[in-house]
Amino acid sequence: MLRSTLLAAARSTAFRAAVESGPFDALVGRFVAGTTLDEAVAVARRITADRLVTVDHLGEDTTDRAQADANVAAYRALLHRLGDEGLADRVEVSVKLSAFGQRLPRDGEKIALESARQVCEAAAGVGTTVTVDMEDHTTTDATLAAVGDLRVDFPWAGAVLQSQLRRTEGDCRDLAGPGSRVRLCKGAYDEPESVAFRRAGEVDRSYVRCLGVLMAGQGLPMVATHDPRLVAIAQHLAQRAGRSTRDYELQMLYGVRPRAQSELAAEGQRVRVYLPYGTEWFGYFMRRLAERPANLAFFARSLVTR
Ligand code: FAD
């Protein structure tokens, strides 16, 4: 209920204006590396001391072609910088097709795919990879089709699947082949019962079934969750499938359970941190608030003191 309300508020322009008029303060900074490329690179460098990173240049639901092109340019600059700084072997990028114009009324899917292709070319040029984030269920088919197209030229292009969707176990089977990279998460969007499990227990059980398929498959499972029980189950299933700690990744968000991230890395796990930066932090930030009621109390206090 609270989650649905927050995610609905995230779509309100007036609410967005009120929140963004405040400073980029410590609460936003807990989840977002900063607003500039320099800030993101500095944080990524620090994290790579013991973990891997995937950097997300924030932006989504772009309805303007110029903005979509600016987002592509930002990724190219980011990738060149990762190459120049010698970070490309430990840092990849995550992209959202809606930031590249997927929702543009004319040729949106085509424009977004061409943009993602340009980002993949830039990534290949510096020797790193790209993972395509998954957004709400209305885009799942189109996004998976785009990843399929990208994988023809860039076999390392990663997909994301969300265990809250009823279809996902089947998608895991389709994507568990050789060379695939699949990030499995619970799903951050408020989805209808017709397509999604709505109860936490059902989402978790689906997550375990999906993990079973991916771990038994031939690709690289990327286990994106902060849920300690699911992390333990992933480790167990990996072992049972004969995978070493090099043969799957544990992934968590910047600012969430950082101590656990470092502890897992110290135990020899391959841990990757999802690191967002940029001025368009509102939608991402609201999804993080919606995931944990305790975050909301901090947020409410920070609005009052602004
Ligand atoms: P939960 O049951 O939500 O959380 C388990 C525990 O983790 C909580 O009890 C709490 O201790 C901690 N925790 C979780 N979230 C927070 C938070 N925001 N603040 C503080 N503590 C928290 N979703 C998509 O829909 N598409 C994507 O492409 C996508 N990419 C992701 C990439 C990565 C690397 C990760 C880690 C998540 C991604 N997500 C994505 C978000 C994901 O779908 C979930 O919304 C989010 O991870 C919370 O689910 P959870 O598995 O951590 O479990």
Side-chain angles (χ1 to χ4, degrees), residues 177-213:
S180 73
R181 295 168 64 249
V182 179
R183 180 198 300 157
L184 179 65
C185 62
K186 290 187 185 179
Y189 298 84
D190 192 27
E191 304 287 18
E193 177 117 42
S194 53
V195 297
F197 301 112
R198 301 276 303 174
R199 280 187 286 276
E202 287 179 315
V203 176
D204 290 357
R205 283 192 290 280
S206 166
Y207 199 104
V208 174
R209 289 194 301 275
C210 293
L211 270 179
V213 175

Side-chain angles (χ1 to χ4, degrees), residues 134 162 183 186-189 225-226 253 288 291-292 295:
M134 190 55 80
Q162 301 153 319
R183 180 198 300 157
K186 290 187 185 179
Y189 298 84
T225 181
H226 313 96
L253 301 176
R288 302 296 77 80
E291 277 153 8
R292 197 162 180 249
N295 292 342

